[in-house]
């Protein structure tokens, strides 16, 4: 097995056997994520270099009138 071909081969195998929905990820939906969360199931973001969900999170929070200025929003960076 050639390491440089495994990714492509796996993608092709999954697409042919399970379908494209297992390969293509739908865009992130902050509203749906918020609906699925609670004080017992918080939202955590595992980030990769070059990603920043802050604008999406802050924008959605503003639609719910949750802001830093009114004391209902805190942005905590762990890194």
């Amino acid at each position: 097995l050639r390491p440089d071909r495994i990714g492509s081969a796996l993608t092709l195998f999954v697409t042919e056997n399970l379908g494209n929905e297992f390969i293509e990820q739908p865009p992130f939906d902050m509203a749906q994520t918020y609906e699925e969360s609670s004080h017992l199931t918080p939202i955590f973001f595992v980030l990769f270099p070059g990603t920043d969900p802050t604008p999406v999170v802050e924008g959605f929070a503003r639609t719910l009138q949750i802001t830093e200025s009114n004391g209902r929003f805190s942005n905590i960076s762990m890194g």
Side-chain angles (χ1 to χ4, degrees), residues 55-71:
V56 174
V57 173
E58 289 179 344
F60 181 71
R62 275 192 299 277
T63 66
L64 301 173
Q65 298 180 0
I66 300 171
T67 64
E68 286 187 90
S69 61
N70 67 16

Side-chain angles (χ1 to χ4, degrees), residues 16-32:
E16 289 177 352
N17 291 283
L18 300 175
N20 200 43
E21 64 270 15
F22 288 90
I23 298 296
E24 297 294 327
Q25 182 174 337
F28 177 69
D29 185 349
M30 187 65 215
Q32 180 182 0

